[in-house]
Amino acid sequence: EMKCKPTDTPGNVDIPALRERYRQERDKRLRPEGQKQYAKVREEFSDTYTADPHMPVVPRDPVSEDLDVAILGAGWSGILAAYHLRNAGVCSFRNIDHAGDWGGVWYWNRYPGIQCDNDAYCYLPLLEETGFMPSRKYADGYEIYDYFRLIADKYSLGENALFHTLISSLRWDERIRRWRIGSNRGDDIRARFVIVANGLLNIPKLPNIPGIHDYKGRMFHTSRWEYDYTGGTYRNPVLDKLADKKVAIIGTGATALQAIPYLGRYARHVYVLQRTPSTVDQRHNAPTDPDWAQGLEPGWQKERMANFHRAAMEGRLLPGESDLVCDFWTEISRNMSAELEAEGWPRLTPEEYATRREAMDYRVLERMRRRVDEIVRDRETAAALKPWYRFLCKRPLSNDDYYDTFNRPNVSLIDVSATRGVERMTGKGFVANGVEHQVDCMMFASGFEVSSDRDRRWGIDVFEGRNGVSIYDHWRHGYKTLHGLMTHGFPNQFFIGYYQGGLNATTTEQCSRQAYHAAYIVKEALSRGMAAVEPSLEAQDAYVRHIRETAIDIADFQAECTPSYYNNESEKVTDEKGDRKYRNFLGEGYGPGWDAFQRLLQEWRDNGDLAGLVLEPDQR
Ligand code: NDP
């Protein structure tokens, strides 16, 4: 493989001046109402939430049954949970999902241009196990969607799944020591164990724009793309029905960026309503080189993920290590390695390293801003498209067509930062900077409820453990778990996602290791004849203390960032001790790192005594 080279970044950046500019740009966007600037989609736009434009909902009879494991979700965490249960020899399980098929976000999101922004050779799990090879570095959405089906077929996970089923209640029934699951299909499922695999991007988010309910034109969220209106299909997004339409798209995040070049190509006119610009690098989306794929040695995927994790999450590669993923996620670490190598790898304290990394951060962002000037011809538009914040204040992006789209005569960028978002909507369109623009369609690329309160975000109205305690109250002021996976008072329940565990740069790998650990506990409990397992209060307290004592504090960094779901829209919440903190959408990550967390779990399993779990035998 060709060695990945450092990028060419301007050396003459004025850091104090930039820091000040970043603050001004942040302040311009701060909104005192924080999360409350968004509508409660499940209540105010329930059609948007429940409608499925991709697949008809087929009536079915309610299911009433006893089951070993219910897996709530059929996205990556859900399918990986099924896979690991299957491998552990647990057979009685079902995935249940609101969507009409496997895929989670990759089921719902079918907007034109959808691709994964992460290296597919890391992001797509189980590549060595399934023998599948993605066709290119950043996979198209439908390739990922199809890959779900491949996994489900290969491991026979599909026959049990219940799709188009929305969970409405989840209650621990002490009498039968099972979870009772109710749904919008009238089901009554009595599951011994529940794996909550409901994902992070499951509920679309809509801004509370004044007048949003008055608009009479077509309106949809990008995760519910209406091809019957735009023309084209998921696999062939020729949006020919937009030829005589004026459309507006709200947002310029990961989703909008991919869709906008298609809108520019096909619509009569496109208004892009931007509040905060993204960082947009070159994509370099090369097809998979067959010789490279042929030459891969067993274990290659784990090695690649570990390499990516060091570069993207730990912030440094090992001396002499090459950057295998070689993209915008790893650029700063790669450039740091090149600098240090040129100096013969001097010994730096963590503080010295952080200072130098910060300088590289400013240089890389300056490179991004210059990239805008090189491509976008209109000076005012170019200026508005430049990002002013540090790397990882928002999700970094890459796209080869985005900036050039603003050179088209039928595309207008409208900067709505002065009003901290779209000012107003009317019956016919929207108002920006005092001017009404009439449009046939408003498309919302406004994201998902990533860091809002759980009762908003989970969409399960009743979720009660022992003694009727609601999970929403139980975790009101912060997580309390053992290993980020189980919590006291909620026996036989596992949570996959971002809670209190090790973080990996590859989110699917993180879900997979959590699912593996959950499958181990389920198998052990079943084979030991246990009706219920849950963490003891002491074990949970000890773990929570450990994770807090070893935590890495990023509050200062979050405070300097422009608002986004990365810092809970710059809104602080109160923790158990009454301290005010920004919520982190990654939960409370394990400070000593991913490898240390994996060792902790491995040793715990190797001991074989399920330490810290209270086991209740099945007496019947
Ligand atoms: P985001 O939350 O990233 O972006 C939402 C956009 O809507 C932002 O530009 C936001 O502006 C804007 N917005 C919100 N409210 C208003 C308002 N009142 N007026 C004007 N603009 C507004 O959502 P996405 O769907 O783009 O992405 C969500 C996440 O999904 C990504 O971060 C990523 O994790 C994942 N994703 C991954 C993809 C991939 O791998 N290819 C592709 C798409 C998504 P502001 O920034 O100012 O808040």
Side-chain angles (χ1 to χ4, degrees):
E1 214 176 350
M2 265 213 335
K3 198 170 180 307
C4 175
K5 295 206 183 64
T7 57
D8 204 359
T9 57
N12 57 341
V13 292
D14 180 347
I15 294 179
L18 283 173
R19 192 176 285 134
E20 190 45 39
R21 173 83 198 257
Y22 286 12
R23 279 186 190 147
Q24 287 168 5
E25 294 285 342
R26 172 203 60 191
D27 291 349
K28 225 164 86 180
R29 292 173 175 80
L30 288 176
R31 287 180 63 142
E33 69 274 52
Q35 288 290 351
K36 292 186 194 70
Q37 66 181 285
Y38 299 107
K40 285 189 174 167
V41 169
R42 284 202 310 132
E43 292 161 24
E44 289 187 48
F45 295 92
S46 59
D47 289 354
T48 295
Y49 177 53
T50 50
D52 183 351
H54 309 316
M55 222 176 257
V57 177
V58 180
R60 67 163 173 80
D61 292 332
V63 173
S64 172
E65 67 176 0
D66 294 288
L67 189 70
D68 280 348
V69 193
I71 304 169
L72 310 188
W76 279 130
S77 44
I79 200 169
L80 288 163
Y83 167 82
H84 287 297
L85 285 173
R86 176 72 84 223
N87 276 352
V90 178
C91 298
S92 163
F93 63 81
R94 260 189 202 288
N95 290 78
I96 307 174
D97 201 296
H98 176 195
D101 197 355
W102 298 97
V105 291
W106 301 104
Y107 174 84
W108 291 109
N109 289 275
R110 303 184 183 204
Y111 58 82
I114 182 170
Q115 276 182 354
C116 183
D117 290 331
N118 277 103
D119 180 269
Y121 316 115
C122 287
Y123 180 78
L124 293 186
L126 308 175
L127 290 179
E128 294 192 57
E129 289 80 351
T130 60
F132 180 76
M133 185 49 73
S135 58
R136 37 164 79 206
K137 184 173 171 71
Y138 304 103
D140 286 319
Y142 55 82
E143 182 166 294
I144 301 174
Y145 177 62
D146 292 345
Y147 185 52
F148 268 92
R149 180 45 69 72
L150 185 153
I151 295 173
D153 287 349
K154 185 171 172 97
Y155 300 101
S156 311
L157 309 175
E159 63 262 33
N160 295 330
L162 278 184
F163 292 121
H164 277 150
T165 301
L166 200 50
I167 306 294
S168 51
S169 63
L170 198 59
R171 285 193 179 90
W172 175 250
D173 186 335
E174 189 64 44
R175 212 170 32 85
I176 54 173
R177 287 191 289 186
R178 284 174 182 268
W179 286 96
R180 293 191 92 110
I181 302 168
S183 77
N184 66 341
R185 298 299 196 111
D187 302 318
D188 177 24
I189 297 169
R190 297 165 298 274
R192 181 67 78 198
F193 297 91
V194 166
I195 299 182
V196 181
N198 54 355
L200 198 65
L201 304 168
N202 53 326
I203 299 204
K205 185 175 86 178
L206 289 173
N208 245 332
I209 300 168
I212 188 170
H213 291 283
D214 300 335
Y215 180 64
K216 302 280 185 311
R218 193 78 167 221
M219 184 169 133
F220 57 82
H221 186 270
T222 43
S223 67
R224 305 288 189 277
W225 193 271
E226 297 183 8
Y227 281 105
D228 63 341
Y229 178 78
T230 63
T233 64
Y234 177 34
R235 289 166 202 264
N236 185 25
V238 174
L239 311 179
D240 50 4
K241 292 188 186 171
L242 293 184
D244 59 351
K245 301 280 193 306
K246 288 188 187 181
V247 305
I249 182 162
I250 293 178
T252 48
T255 298
L257 218 80
Q258 295 183 330
I260 285 167
Y262 286 82
L263 295 176
R265 203 170 302 152
Y266 294 108
R268 181 171 142 222
H269 200 90
V270 186
Y271 296 98
V272 176
L273 306 186
Q274 171 189 273
R275 184 165 66 180
T276 314
S278 287
T279 56
V280 190
D281 203 1
Q282 266 178 294
R283 189 80 159 165
H284 297 300
N285 193 7
T288 300
D289 174 355
D291 294 336
W292 168 78
Q294 274 295 312
L296 290 167
E297 304 279 343
W300 69 267
Q301 191 178 24
K302 290 255 179 279
E303 236 173 73
R304 191 174 178 95
M305 286 174 185
N307 173 269
F308 178 58
H309 179 74
R310 281 190 285 275
M313 200 151 235
E314 291 182 346
R316 65 168 98 198
L317 289 154
L318 304 171
E321 181 180 22
S322 42
D323 173 7
L324 300 179
V325 168
C326 193
D327 68 4
F328 52 103
W329 292 101
T330 59
E331 175 181 6
I332 295 181
S333 296
R334 175 180 356 126
N335 290 0
M336 289 292 293
S337 281
E339 267 192 17
L340 298 178
E341 188 167 276
E343 296 167 28
W345 295 100
R347 289 177 69 95
L348 299 177
T349 63
E351 292 74 26
E352 285 165 340
Y353 186 84
T355 304
R356 289 186 57 162
R357 204 181 142 88
E358 184 181 356
M360 184 57 74
D361 183 327
Y362 282 102
R363 288 168 58 176
V364 164
L365 267 287
E366 187 60 28
R367 178 179 81 72
M368 301 283 197
R369 288 187 286 270
R370 293 185 187 184
R371 184 167 182 265
V372 182
D373 279 332
E374 284 160 20
I375 303 173
V376 177
R377 287 195 289 273
D378 179 70
R379 289 301 89 202
E380 203 186 322
T381 307
L385 285 167
K386 288 181 190 172
W388 301 97
Y389 43 80
R390 290 205 32 204
F391 183 70
L392 290 187
C393 278
K394 279 187 169 308
R395 192 178 160 103
L397 302 169
S398 71
N399 190 297
D400 293 339
D401 304 317
Y402 180 67
Y403 287 141
D404 194 34
T405 299
F406 293 96
N407 291 326
R408 303 182 72 106
N410 65 326
V411 176
S412 318
L413 180 72
I414 299 196
D415 181 346
V416 298
S417 60
T419 44
R420 292 171 163 79
V422 177
E423 189 178 325
R424 196 153 53 86
M425 281 169 69
T426 65
K428 295 186 174 150
F430 65 93
V431 176
N433 308 317
V435 181
E436 181 179 6
H437 300 267
Q438 299 192 358
V439 288
D440 300 297
C441 181
M442 300 277 297
M443 300 169 178
F444 284 84
S446 45
F448 302 87
E449 298 251 348
V450 181
S451 58
S452 58
D453 293 342
R454 265 168 298 278
D455 43 6
R456 270 183 79 133
R457 175 155 46 98
W458 278 5
I460 303 171
D461 290 323
V462 178
F463 192 139
E464 294 173 354
R466 282 196 205 276
N467 306 316
V469 173
S470 160
I471 191 79
Y472 307 122
D473 292 330
H474 181 63
W475 280 347
R476 183 73 61 198
H477 298 294
Y479 295 123
K480 295 177 274 190
T481 71
L482 178 63
H483 300 153
L485 206 68
M486 300 186 82
T487 188
H488 181 74
F490 293 76
N492 294 359
Q493 190 153 69
F494 304 88
F495 298 87
I496 312 278
Y498 296 109
Y499 296 93
Q500 290 181 317
L503 298 174
N504 194 286
T506 298
T507 183
T508 47
E509 170 68 357
Q510 185 179 319
C511 295
S512 188
R513 298 314 300 169
Q514 292 171 330
Y516 176 83
H517 192 69
Y520 167 82
I521 296 173
V522 169
K523 182 198 68 184
E524 289 300 311
L526 288 174
S527 66
R528 296 177 197 199
M530 297 298 155
V533 293
E534 72 178 299
S536 70
L537 203 50
E538 299 71 45
Q540 178 172 290
D541 286 349
Y543 180 73
V544 172
R545 229 178 299 119
H546 174 56
I547 201 153
R548 302 249 159 97
E549 279 164 3
T550 56
I552 297 167
D553 188 359
I554 59 162
D556 292 343
F557 177 80
Q558 288 178 305
E560 294 285 325
C561 280
T562 192
S564 81
Y565 72 76
Y566 275 46
N567 65 359
N568 197 38
E569 306 295 336
S570 297
E571 181 185 0
K572 289 185 175 173
V573 292
T574 308
D575 73 7
E576 265 167 343
K577 287 189 287 179
D579 291 339
R580 304 275 293 159
K581 287 204 174 113
Y582 299 106
R583 197 178 272 158
N584 186 341
F585 79 100
L586 297 175
E588 295 176 72
Y590 189 66
W594 174 255
D595 293 337
F597 186 68
Q598 292 315 306
R599 278 196 301 275
L600 181 86
L601 294 189
Q602 182 69 55
E603 280 165 23
W604 187 90
R605 288 189 300 265
D606 288 349
N607 282 338
D609 57 356
L610 305 179
L613 294 181
V614 180
L615 308 179
E616 276 181 59
D618 195 346
Q619 265 120 14
R620 275 159 301 150

